Amino acid sequence: MKVLYIFILLLGSQQILHAQKVLDYKTKTSANQAERALLLELLRKAMYKEFKQEFVFAVDRLNVYNGYAWLKSNASRKDGKEIKLDAEIPYDCCHVEALFVKKNGKWQIYEYGSFSTDVWWVSLWDDKKIPIKVFGDDYFEVKEE
């Protein structure tokens, strides 16, 4: 009986440790493909509403942690043509960043920026009280400046 309790305790602590690990979804795997596809599709739909163009993404970073997901990607048109942007608005083509949040078991876009000319996300972790771990290690230097 003691062995069973120890096993349950170890299993429970394993779950706690796993829940606090940043998951890397940059590369599609059998374990992450459904959730990864859902996140990219949410962004694809939002960008279609904004730009009336269909996009595909070359993911540079897609981290998932504690109910949040952070994406840094480059976008291109699905049809291979050049992205058409309003000439009157300054754009820096073709990077896209998005922060997702999981509420009631469903992912949604919390905030995103496409082709921005600034670093719009630089204070999200402080302003919105989001765990900085989801953004990745290179953001720790930005925060300390």
Side-chain angles (χ1 to χ4, degrees):
M1 193 64 157
K2 232 181 195 182
V3 174
L4 180 61
Y5 287 129
I6 292 172
F7 176 74
I8 290 171
L9 181 63
L10 288 174
L11 185 62
S13 61
Q14 174 74 16
Q15 292 298 323
I16 290 168
L17 290 174
H18 178 71
Q20 300 205 1
K21 181 181 176 192
V22 176
L23 302 175
D24 182 358
Y25 284 15
K26 177 181 176 179
T27 303
K28 180 172 58 172
T29 67
S30 59
N32 72 21
Q33 83 180 46
E35 196 165 32
R36 183 181 189 277
L38 178 89
L39 292 167
L40 294 174
E41 188 58 29
L42 285 171
L43 182 59
R44 191 172 287 114
K45 286 179 181 179
M47 289 182 64
Y48 183 82
K49 283 182 185 176
E50 184 177 355
F51 296 103
K52 304 297 184 245
Q53 298 169 68
E54 291 186 10
F55 293 97
V56 294
F57 304 104
V59 176
D60 292 325
R61 168 171 293 159
L62 181 49
N63 291 340
V64 177
Y65 176 74
N66 201 24
Y68 293 96
W70 173 246
L71 170 75
K72 282 184 74 178
S73 179
N74 283 305
S76 57
R77 282 183 47 158
K78 187 177 180 179
D79 61 11
K81 294 180 182 176
E82 186 177 332
I83 295 174
K84 295 178 187 170
L85 301 171
D86 185 341
E88 309 232 345
I89 300 173
Y91 287 104
D92 184 8
C93 194
C94 293
H95 65 95
V96 179
E97 302 82 27
L99 179 65
F100 303 87
V101 64
K102 197 173 207 177
K103 289 190 178 179
N104 300 321
K106 292 189 176 191
W107 284 108
Q108 54 189 291
I109 295 177
Y110 190 77
E111 216 169 305
Y112 84 99
S114 47
F115 320 129
S116 63
T117 58
D118 63 355
V119 186
W120 64 270
W121 66 87
V122 76
S123 62
L124 278 177
W125 44 83
D126 286 331
D127 296 345
K128 309 291 186 185
K129 307 296 184 232
I130 295 166
I132 196 169
K133 283 177 100 174
V134 75
F135 294 91
D137 294 343
D138 58 338
Y139 294 106
F140 289 93
E141 293 176 12
V142 173
K143 184 178 187 244
E144 293 173 356
E145 289 181 22

